[in-house]
């Protein structure tokens, strides 16, 4: 519940819209229940020669209800869209804050996608959960007051059944969703892993004739998912049945006592009870959704407000040094206390304007070095100095303005080429953009596109080949004003020829920047001032 | 509706065929529920009739008992419909997933040239899950939307012909009104659905690239952009919804109109001394029952749009092939395999020209051929043809004289072992990762393969040895270690033809030397085709191996040594 409350608190700014929507929704609901009640009353009253007011009420309530429902839909949807936008911006900022502290750096795209799914699970919170619950809360006192004239026993009986149907059963469904939802999520994740194995490993599958066993493995996990979902659906079905029977029991109770009641009152009460229970018939499902939303909210809040692992931002950051020489001084680092040291007393000097390479097999900590230089991670002991100043004392934003990085995780956004490039330097002119594209050997290709700089880059850079995507990312890195550029396996996924071209390009375009090339091997075309090999937690100088 | 959408709708209709009997069962249950509700309305009407001073033909206790029984019937039909809905959805998902994944696996690696694996997984997992509501909710709801109101109207017509006509007339306003507001329910659902879809796509994209945004110091700009996009989307969508919601309003209007007209009509008749209050209340109580299936239908419109989106992606997947006749090939694996290419052509993409253009060579059994040349020269294409990933576009490929295209994939995969640039490690134990090469292998045979691939030293240091789980959730392996797992697979498989496609391209020089050493031992006694850049090729073909070498460039043989 704490997490849900946290999400609701985010919407405080939207309270006027949300409350307005809720008020209109409640009035619309009340008018609907009144309409049903009055329509029954009209008949009874006519028979008994009653008042003339009822038909008049009918003529007012009917159009009022139609209009109110329309306005309700507009206002509540408007409010929902506003609230959704707030939730997303808040989550983005929260996650960006953690990412700046190094967390997003290590999160896989899949985990992030799952979190986004959790944010989406909260979309129905207002329309499908809160509003129906507010309606039920409003109907209970109305029901009690209206039935009071029929006697306390009957009122309490019907009231209890209403509470069961509108509150107890939904709460039980919510609990069901909380417990079983976890099992469903786990089974779903297992099925996804099996499918990823089958599809990503399709070459192995074909080469080893594994089609049958892969299909069987996905089917087995699917069966596990279905059995978890089956239990959930069984619970929801029971909740629906019990809620329905509560309504029926309330009606039966009323019908049992009908003989003792005055005619008009009996008819009016009956129509009211039918309408009230009908109005809350969707609540068991809403309760179930609420249970899921609560679990999702828990994960979303945890991700957005997780304490940052890396060093905190200094309270009064030091001034940026004029120079950009980078120095690692006796750095010891490991990602987790139970993992081995990645650096165990690493000392490394990279003078300003030098072009250096760091070599080493995977797992030797090459990428960790970049993370330390960008303060995405903080060393357990030792220091990292930029221009002679400990980077722990610098503002992270300013540090990252000076030290840029291009790695395999560098993302191309679903946006235009221009927008993707401007990300690195919003002030860059078109001339600068073309210069960067030319330098990355993409200028010719982009000039050939009908919409040139305004060409849309598809999802995750699709529509461009892997090599073109890497070169677009390089063009972006070259546009950035950073004076130190870390290129972490910039050629991963490129074929040998493209790799050579890319590295040759780099020799020409880097200018006076410091270039730190992190690779598992050299091709021979790189022009370097220094080469180190990382192994066993140290850097060993190798031939330049 | 676009052509694509129509295609998707057609596809969905075809796939819904096997579910039709379950859907009929759900519709029958729904109708039974409506009938029970009608019966209950009758009971209530009669009981109130008595309370209003009209003598009823029925005794109140009898009516109450019938009411209670019908309540149980309604509960039972509701429960059974829920169960049937789950069953329908699950069986449809199971069927479609098996079909989609089967088709995908049969189409093979060539598919990954056009689409990313992430996209394919999303299709097989998420898109098919999204189809659930279509089968479980939309299909019965769309039928009940006609049959349910028809049943109610029929009963009312019998009891009170004028009332029945009023109800039926109000019911007819609904489709007419929907058509007038531009098929509003459909439009509202589609607009809301696609608006949310676009917002979510942008959000997911920004979250996936959040590291890039942070490192470029653009958090504030992007957060503002996100809010702005959401706001623009809201304004645009609300403009459409203002019109589209009118269709839901038509439903409300028809309901209110029917209720008020009937109530006033009965009131007038009753105060004039005509008719009995029991049937008047009966008809009035049926008004909500008449409109309930229409509301359910309107609410499940979104399910249809979600399903259409998913169907579009699924319809684009290759169809699962018909099961192949159990036709095994003549046993070509007797004493090693000789490979021959005769004037082989292959074109992946006509725009980029042929990948192989008249390639011919022969490799005798037990010999090694090195394929050299720059990337894009056609080395991988040769290997992929031999693996059966793609049939040759022209010419002939033979194994011991038998045409490759006459071999069923299973027979071919039994003859070949393959090691690529980066082996796929599945999310299971190392033992199972190796055993997949020969599922019937004993633990001792797996252990032998591990030793032969020089993987034993590394495995000994692992917490659970060969049973250590690897993959995303488990223990990470370096490129060299992963390649050793692939070599162990090849040792275990013990196939006569060994295909090596740049097996050391992603290794550092020290690891490369070690891996090549293992590969040389693996190559003994087998026919080997190694695609590699020249340095590694040289290292491999030295050391006493026959130097057969084919230099490829732009799909053509440039020089051939010992392979004519």
């Amino acid at each position: 519940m704490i997490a849900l409350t946290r999400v609701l608190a985010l919407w405080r700014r939207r309270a006027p819209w949300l409350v307005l929507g809720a008020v209109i929704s409640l009035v619309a609901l009340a008018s609907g229940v009144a309409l049903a009640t009055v329509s029954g009353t009209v008949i009874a009253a006519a028979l008994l020669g009653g008042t003339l007011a009822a038909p008049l009420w009918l003529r007012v309530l009917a159009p009022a209800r139609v209009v109110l429902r329309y306005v309700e839909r507009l206002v509540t949807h408007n409010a929902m869209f506003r609230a959704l936008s707030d939730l997303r911006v808040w989550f983005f900022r929260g996650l960006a804050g953690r990412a700046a502290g190094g967390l997003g750096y290590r999160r896989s795209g899949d985990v992030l996608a799952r979190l986004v799914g959790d944010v989406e699970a909260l979309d129905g919170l207002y329309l499908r959960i809160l509003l129906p619950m507010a309606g039920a809360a409003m109907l209970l006192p109305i029901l009690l007051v209206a039935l009071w004239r029929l006697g306390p026993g009957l009122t309490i009986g019907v009231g209890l059944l209403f509470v069961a149907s509108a509150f107890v059963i939904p709460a039980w469904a919510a609990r069901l969703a909380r417990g079983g939802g976890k099992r469903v999520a786990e089974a779903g994740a297992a099925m996804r892993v099996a499918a990823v194995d089958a599809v990503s490993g399709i070459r192995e599958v074909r080469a080893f004739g594994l089609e049958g066993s892969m299909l069987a493995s996905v089917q087995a996990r699917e069966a596990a998912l279905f059995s978890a979902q089956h239990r959930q659906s069984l619970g929801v079905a029971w909740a629906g049945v019990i809620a329905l029977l509560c309504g029926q029991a309330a009606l039966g109770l009323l019908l049992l006592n009908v003989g003792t009641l005055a005619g008009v009152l009996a008819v009016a009460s009956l129509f009211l009870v039918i309408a009230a229970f009908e109005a809350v018939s969707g609540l068991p499902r809403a309760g179930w959704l609420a249970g899921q939303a609560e679990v999702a909210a828990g994960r979303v809040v945890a991700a957005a407000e997780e304490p940052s692992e890396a060093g905190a931002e200094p309270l009064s950051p030091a001034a940026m040094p004029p120079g950009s020489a980078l120095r690692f001084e006796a750095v010891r680092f490991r990602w987790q206390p139970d993992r081995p040291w990645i650096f165990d007393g690493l000392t490394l000097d990279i003078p300003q304007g030098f072009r250096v390479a760091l070599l080493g097999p995977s797992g030797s900590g090459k990428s960790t070095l970049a993370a330390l230089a960008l303060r995405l991670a903080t060393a357990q002991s030792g220091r990292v100095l930029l221009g002679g100043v400990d980077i722990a004392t610098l503002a992270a934003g300013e540090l990252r303005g000076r030290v840029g990085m291009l790695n395999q995780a560098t993302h191309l956004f679903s946006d235009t080429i221009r927008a993707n490039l401007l990300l690195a330097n919003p002030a860059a002119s078109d001339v600068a953009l073309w210069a960067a594209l030319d330098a990355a050997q993409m200028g010719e290709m982009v000039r050939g596109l009908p919409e040139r700089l305004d060409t849309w880059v598809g999802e995750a850079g699709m529509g461009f080949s892997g090599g073109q995507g890497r070169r677009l990312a390089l063009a972006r890195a070259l546009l950035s004003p950073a004076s130190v550029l870390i290129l972490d396996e910039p050629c991963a996924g490129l074929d040998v020829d493209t790799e050579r071209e890319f590295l040759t390009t780099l020799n020409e375009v880097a200018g006076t920047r410091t270039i730190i090339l992190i690779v598992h091997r050299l091709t021979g075309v790189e022009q370097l001032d220094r080469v180190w090999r990382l192994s066993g937690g140290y850097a060993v100088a190798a031939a330049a | 509706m676009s052509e694509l959408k129509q295609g998707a709708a057609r596809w969905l209709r075809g796939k819904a065929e096997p579910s039709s009997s379950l859907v009929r069962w759900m519709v029958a249950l729904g109708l039974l529920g409506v009938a029970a509700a009608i019966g209950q309305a009758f009971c209530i009407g009669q009981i109130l009739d008595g309370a209003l001073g009209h003598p009823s033909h029925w005794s109140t206790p009898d009516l109450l008992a019938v009411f209670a029984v019908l309540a149980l019937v309604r509960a039972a039909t509701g429960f059974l419909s829920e169960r049937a809905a789950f069953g329908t959805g699950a069986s449809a998902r199971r069927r479609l997933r098996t079909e989609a994944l089967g088709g995908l696996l049969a189409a093979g690696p060539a598919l990954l040239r056009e689409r990313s694996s992430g996209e394919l997984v999303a299709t097989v997992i998420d898109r098919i899950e999204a189809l659930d509501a279509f089968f479980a909710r939309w299909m019965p709801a769309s039928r009940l939307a006609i049959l349910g109101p028809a049943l109610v109207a029929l009963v009312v017509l019998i009891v009170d012909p004028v009332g029945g006509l009023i109800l039926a007339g109000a019911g007819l306003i609904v489709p007419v009104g929907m058509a007038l507001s531009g098929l509003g329910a459909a439009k509202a659902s589609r607009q809301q659905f696609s608006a949310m879809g676009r917002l979510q796509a942008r959000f997911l994209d920004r979250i996936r690239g959040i590291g890039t945004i942070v490192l470029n110091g653009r958090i504030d700009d992007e957060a503002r952009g996100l809010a702005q996009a959401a706001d623009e989307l809201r304004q645009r969508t609300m403009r459409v919804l203002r019109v589209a919601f009118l269709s839901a309003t038509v439903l409300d209007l028809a309901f209110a109109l029917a209720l008020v007209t009937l109530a006033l009509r009965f009131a007038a008749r009753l105060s004039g001394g005509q008719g009995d209050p029991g049937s008047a209340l009966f008809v009035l109580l049926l008004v909500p029952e008449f409109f309930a299936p229409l509301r359910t239908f309107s609410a499940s419109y979104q399910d249809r749009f979600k399903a259409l989106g998913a169907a579009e992606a699924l319809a684009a997947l290759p169809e699962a092939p018909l099961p192949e006749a159990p036709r095994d090939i003549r046993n070509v694996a007797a004493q090693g395999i000789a490979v021959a290419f005769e004037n082989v052509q292959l074109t992946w993409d006509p725009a980029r020209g042929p990948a192989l253009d008249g390639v011919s060579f022969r490799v005798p059994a037990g010999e090694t051929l090195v394929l050299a040349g720059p990337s894009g020269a056609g080395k991988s294409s040769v290997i992929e043809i031999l693996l059966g990933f793609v049939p040759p576009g022209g010419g002939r490929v033979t194994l011991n004289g038998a045409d490759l295209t006459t071999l069923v994939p299973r027979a071919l995969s039994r003859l070949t072992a393959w090691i690529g640039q980066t082996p796929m490690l599945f999310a299971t134990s190392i033992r199972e990762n190796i055993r997949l090469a020969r599922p019937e292998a004993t633990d001792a045979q797996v252990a032998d393969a591990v030793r032969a691939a020089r993987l034993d030293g590394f495995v000994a240091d692992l917490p659970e040895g060969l049973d250590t789980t690897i993959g995303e959730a488990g223990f990470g392996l370096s490129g060299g270690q992963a390649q050793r797992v692939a070599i162990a697979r090849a040792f275990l498989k013990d196939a006569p033809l060994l295909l090596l496609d740049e097996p050391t391209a992603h290794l550092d020089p020290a690891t490369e030397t070690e891996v090549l050493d293992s590969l040389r031992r693996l190559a003994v006694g087998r026919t080997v085709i190694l695609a590699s850049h020249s340095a590694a090729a040289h290292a491999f073909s030295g050391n006493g191996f026959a130097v057969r070498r084919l230099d490829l460039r732009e799909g053509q043989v440039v020089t051939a040594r010992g392979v004519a």
Side-chain angles (χ1 to χ4, degrees):
Chain A
M1 281 317 271
I2 299 165
L4 267 185
T5 323
R6 181 77 195 83
V7 171
L8 292 179
L10 287 179
W11 291 345
R12 208 175 296 138
R13 203 160 63 87
R14 302 300 187 184
W17 273 102
L18 294 168
V19 170
L20 180 66
V23 168
I24 296 175
S25 159
L26 291 179
V27 177
L29 175 65
S31 73
V33 172
L35 180 65
T37 311
V38 173
S39 68
T41 318
V42 167
I43 286 176
L47 190 72
L48 302 171
T51 60
L52 287 171
L56 183 68
W57 268 111
L58 215 51
R59 290 196 178 95
V60 174
L61 279 171
R65 174 177 153 74
V66 173
V67 172
L68 279 168
R69 287 280 291 158
Y70 178 71
V71 176
E72 177 203 346
R73 285 194 186 99
L74 283 186
V75 175
T76 53
H77 275 78
N78 203 333
M80 174 202 70
F81 277 122
R82 286 172 200 269
L84 290 190
S85 151
D86 283 1
L87 181 62
R88 278 162 175 69
V89 170
W90 166 80
F91 182 71
F92 174 80
R93 281 186 179 280
L95 205 63
R98 302 322 107 180
L103 263 156
Y105 182 73
R106 286 158 58 208
R107 270 221 179 85
S108 80
D110 240 21
V111 176
L112 291 174
R114 236 170 285 154
L115 276 172
V116 169
D118 283 335
V119 173
E120 285 166 19
L122 296 175
D123 287 352
L125 193 57
Y126 176 63
L127 281 182
R128 293 165 71 188
I129 300 172
L130 290 180
L131 289 183
M133 284 184 177
M138 178 191 72
L139 284 178
L140 180 62
I142 292 180
L143 203 59
L144 293 178
V145 169
L147 293 183
W148 193 250
R149 277 179 293 168
L150 308 185
L154 194 59
T155 309
I156 290 171
V158 172
L160 283 177
L161 286 166
F162 187 82
V163 168
S165 172
F167 302 109
V168 178
I169 296 165
W172 176 76
R175 233 188 77 188
L176 179 83
R178 276 198 298 271
K182 194 161 163 263
R183 260 197 306 279
V184 171
E186 279 165 4
M191 178 170 80
R192 185 183 303 274
V193 169
V196 167
D197 268 3
V199 174
S200 314
I202 196 160
R203 290 162 176 281
E204 273 78 1
V205 168
R206 183 51 90 78
F208 291 107
L210 301 173
E211 288 91 347
S213 64
M214 278 296 164
L215 193 59
S217 135
V218 172
Q219 281 169 334
R221 272 116 193 228
E222 185 188 52
L225 173 68
F226 284 174
S227 102
Q229 285 177 340
H230 181 263
R231 281 162 73 169
Q232 287 275 291
S233 123
L234 194 65
V236 174
W238 273 118
V241 164
I242 297 169
L244 176 83
L245 287 176
C246 284
Q248 298 288 322
L251 271 184
L253 211 56
L254 213 56
L255 290 174
L256 261 179
N257 291 292
V258 129
T260 64
L261 303 172
V264 176
L265 193 58
V267 175
S269 312
L270 197 97
F271 273 76
L272 173 66
V273 168
I274 292 177
F277 275 90
E278 169 64 31
V280 299
S281 64
L283 274 177
R285 188 160 281 277
W288 186 65
L289 289 174
Q292 288 180 326
E294 200 187 319
V295 176
R299 281 192 292 253
V300 166
V301 169
E305 300 190 336
E306 205 166 18
S308 167
E309 286 180 354
E313 194 69 7
L315 285 174
S316 50
M320 285 299 283
S324 292
L326 204 55
R327 176 177 165 78
F328 291 81
E329 210 173 72
V331 167
R332 296 187 87 204
F333 179 80
R334 55 184 170 189
W335 283 107
Q336 271 155 28
D338 57 346
R339 290 290 173 101
W341 291 104
I342 290 175
F343 296 124
D344 195 1
L346 171 84
T347 297
L348 202 62
D349 259 310
I350 304 169
Q352 184 169 357
F354 266 46
R355 313 159 64 81
V356 305
L358 289 162
L359 306 176
S362 57
S364 62
K366 301 187 308 263
S367 301
T368 307
L369 197 95
L372 287 171
L374 286 156
R375 225 178 74 204
L376 293 167
T378 306
Q380 276 83 13
S381 72
R383 299 191 301 167
V384 183
L385 306 167
L386 181 74
V389 179
D390 189 339
I391 62 167
T393 65
L394 297 174
E398 288 187 63
L399 168 68
R400 288 166 198 161
R402 186 74 69 84
V403 183
M405 175 157 78
L406 169 66
N407 67 5
Q408 290 169 56
T410 299
H411 188 83
L412 288 178
F413 292 93
S414 298
D415 215 324
T416 57
I417 292 179
R418 186 196 306 277
N420 265 294
L421 292 178
L422 286 179
L423 191 81
N425 185 357
S429 65
D430 271 18
V431 179
L433 298 189
W434 283 113
L437 284 172
D438 283 333
Q441 296 190 327
M442 278 291 282
E444 208 176 309
M445 192 255 168
V446 175
R447 274 188 196 93
L449 297 171
E451 294 183 70
R452 294 154 68 97
L453 282 176
D454 294 314
T455 306
W456 196 264
V457 182
E459 190 194 337
M462 280 191 2
F464 286 91
S465 77
Q468 289 164 342
R470 302 303 299 166
R471 276 186 269 180
L472 266 186
L474 174 68
R476 177 158 71 194
L478 293 176
L479 261 181
S480 94
S483 52
V484 179
L485 210 48
I486 302 176
L487 304 169
D488 183 1
E489 295 284 3
C491 298
L494 299 189
D495 61 58
V496 181
D497 292 347
T498 318
E499 180 181 8
R500 280 170 174 269
E501 269 173 39
F502 183 99
L503 292 167
T504 312
T505 310
L506 197 62
N507 290 333
E508 291 154 14
V509 299
T512 59
R513 287 189 179 95
T514 306
I515 298 285
I516 303 172
L517 197 57
I518 299 180
V519 286
H520 64 273
R521 71 192 215 181
L522 293 173
T523 63
V525 300
E526 303 89 348
Q527 292 167 9
L528 299 164
D529 297 309
R530 247 172 235 180
V531 178
W532 285 280
R533 186 173 298 284
L534 288 175
S535 70
Y538 301 89
V540 185
Chain B
M1 208 189 261
S2 71
E3 219 168 283
L4 208 60
K5 278 271 190 297
Q6 278 176 6
R10 233 191 339 271
W11 184 89
L12 262 181
R13 267 199 298 281
K15 295 300 170 189
E17 201 59 49
S19 299
S20 55
S21 65
L22 265 170
V23 169
R24 270 199 297 276
W25 166 236
M26 278 191 279
V27 171
L29 283 170
L31 284 178
L32 184 61
V34 172
I38 293 173
Q40 285 194 311
F42 177 77
C43 295
I44 297 175
Q46 290 303 313
I47 293 173
L48 289 180
D49 210 12
L52 291 169
H54 266 243
S56 175
H57 300 298
W58 319 77
S59 80
T60 301
D62 284 354
L63 288 167
L64 270 174
V66 173
F67 177 86
V69 169
L70 290 175
L72 291 175
V73 170
R74 281 182 77 178
T77 56
F79 184 79
L80 290 175
S81 304
E82 272 297 310
R83 305 307 305 138
F86 179 80
T88 312
S91 74
R93 281 182 282 153
R94 182 180 300 125
R95 193 171 67 237
L96 290 174
R97 188 166 286 128
T98 301
E99 260 176 43
L101 194 58
L104 221 140
L105 291 175
L111 209 58
L112 287 181
R113 287 186 170 254
E114 299 151 29
R115 269 174 280 185
S116 75
S117 60
E119 186 195 344
L120 292 173
V121 169
T123 305
V124 169
I125 300 294
D126 304 313
R127 299 290 200 163
I128 286 179
E129 287 299 293
L131 281 177
D132 185 69
F134 177 82
F135 293 98
R137 312 259 164 225
W138 162 262
M139 295 222 323
S142 62
R143 285 155 184 76
L144 271 173
I146 297 166
L147 295 177
L151 180 62
V152 176
L154 197 70
V155 172
V156 176
L157 266 174
I158 293 165
V159 176
D160 176 38
V162 178
L165 286 177
I166 291 173
L167 204 54
L172 285 178
I173 295 178
V174 176
V176 173
M178 281 184 178
L180 284 179
S181 68
L183 268 171
K187 205 167 169 187
S189 292
R190 193 166 57 229
Q191 279 298 328
Q192 203 190 329
F193 182 60
S194 68
M196 297 295 291
R198 258 173 296 164
L199 186 63
Q200 278 156 9
R202 187 187 168 105
F203 183 57
L204 179 60
D205 184 46
R206 265 35 179 197
I207 293 288
R208 275 189 190 277
I210 203 159
T212 304
I213 292 171
V214 167
L215 288 180
N216 282 290
R218 300 294 301 280
I219 301 174
D220 287 335
D221 292 337
E222 282 299 326
R224 255 197 307 280
L226 211 54
Q228 208 177 344
D231 204 48
E232 274 167 29
L233 206 62
R234 175 181 62 81
Q235 286 173 7
R236 235 175 324 134
T237 312
M238 286 312 297
R239 265 201 294 281
V240 180
L241 290 184
R242 242 171 267 162
V243 180
F245 278 150
L246 285 176
S247 79
T249 303
V250 168
L251 194 60
D252 287 336
L253 189 69
F255 175 76
L257 212 60
L259 194 68
V260 171
T261 313
L262 286 171
L264 291 180
R265 186 180 111 81
F266 285 125
R269 275 168 60 90
L270 286 170
S271 50
Q274 290 174 295
D276 65 307
S279 55
L281 290 169
F282 170 55
V283 171
L284 220 51
L285 284 169
L286 286 182
V287 176
E289 297 302 332
F290 179 85
F291 285 96
L294 290 170
R295 284 188 206 287
T296 314
F297 169 74
S298 179
S300 64
Y301 236 107
Q302 286 228 9
D303 298 331
R304 191 171 121 74
F305 285 107
K306 269 184 219 172
L308 278 180
E312 256 172 62
L314 280 161
L317 286 185
E319 287 280 328
L322 296 168
E324 283 170 89
R327 150 184 82 123
D328 217 323
I329 45 125
R330 34 206 174 267
N331 194 1
V332 289
Q335 287 301 320
I337 294 221
V339 178
F341 269 52
E342 294 167 30
N343 197 24
V344 171
Q345 309 275 341
L346 179 71
T347 305
W348 290 106
D349 174 6
R352 292 201 326 224
L356 293 179
D357 190 7
V359 170
S360 301
F361 63 83
R362 301 175 59 81
V363 191
E367 305 274 335
T368 295
L369 167 72
V370 172
L371 292 171
S375 86
K379 304 189 299 285
S380 294
S381 297
V382 169
I383 303 261
E384 298 205 354
I385 286 177
L386 282 170
L387 283 165
F389 291 177
V390 57
R396 228 163 83 91
V397 178
T398 59
L399 302 183
N400 284 1
D403 195 314
L404 189 76
T405 49
T406 65
L407 307 191
V408 293
R410 190 167 299 276
L412 183 63
S413 86
R414 223 177 290 145
L415 300 178
T416 49
W418 164 76
I419 299 175
Q421 296 191 3
T422 45
M424 172 73 188
L425 298 178
F426 298 103
T428 171
S429 66
I430 297 183
R431 186 192 306 282
E432 289 311 311
N433 259 293
I434 294 170
R435 203 202 294 270
L436 61 83
R438 186 144 63 93
E440 71 279 8
T442 63
D443 279 359
Q445 286 168 322
V446 174
D448 284 345
V450 166
R451 257 192 307 283
R454 299 271 158 89
L455 198 59
D456 45 347
F458 162 68
V459 166
D461 289 342
L462 291 178
E464 292 169 70
L466 273 179
D467 293 314
T468 307
T469 299
I470 51 178
E472 200 178 347
F475 204 88
L477 261 58
S478 75
Q481 288 153 355
Q483 208 56 293
R484 288 187 184 284
V485 171
I487 295 171
R489 280 176 185 164
F491 267 115
L492 186 63
K493 188 162 184 186
D494 199 21
L497 176 60
L498 180 59
L499 304 170
L500 306 172
D501 189 3
E502 303 261 14
T504 59
H506 290 287
L507 303 180
D508 60 278
T511 315
E512 177 175 30
T513 314
E514 292 168 19
V515 167
L516 280 173
D517 188 51
S518 297
L519 284 175
R520 259 193 299 272
R521 273 181 291 111
L522 176 62
V524 173
R526 300 174 213 276
T527 311
V528 180
I529 296 183
L530 164 69
S532 191
H533 57 277
S534 51
H538 192 262
F540 191 82
S541 53
N543 210 10
F545 269 82
V547 185
R548 293 174 185 277
R549 175 170 163 155
L550 200 68
D551 277 276
L552 291 171
R553 203 160 288 258
E554 287 171 15
Q556 294 181 330
V557 177
V558 187
T559 53
R561 230 182 317 155
V563 288

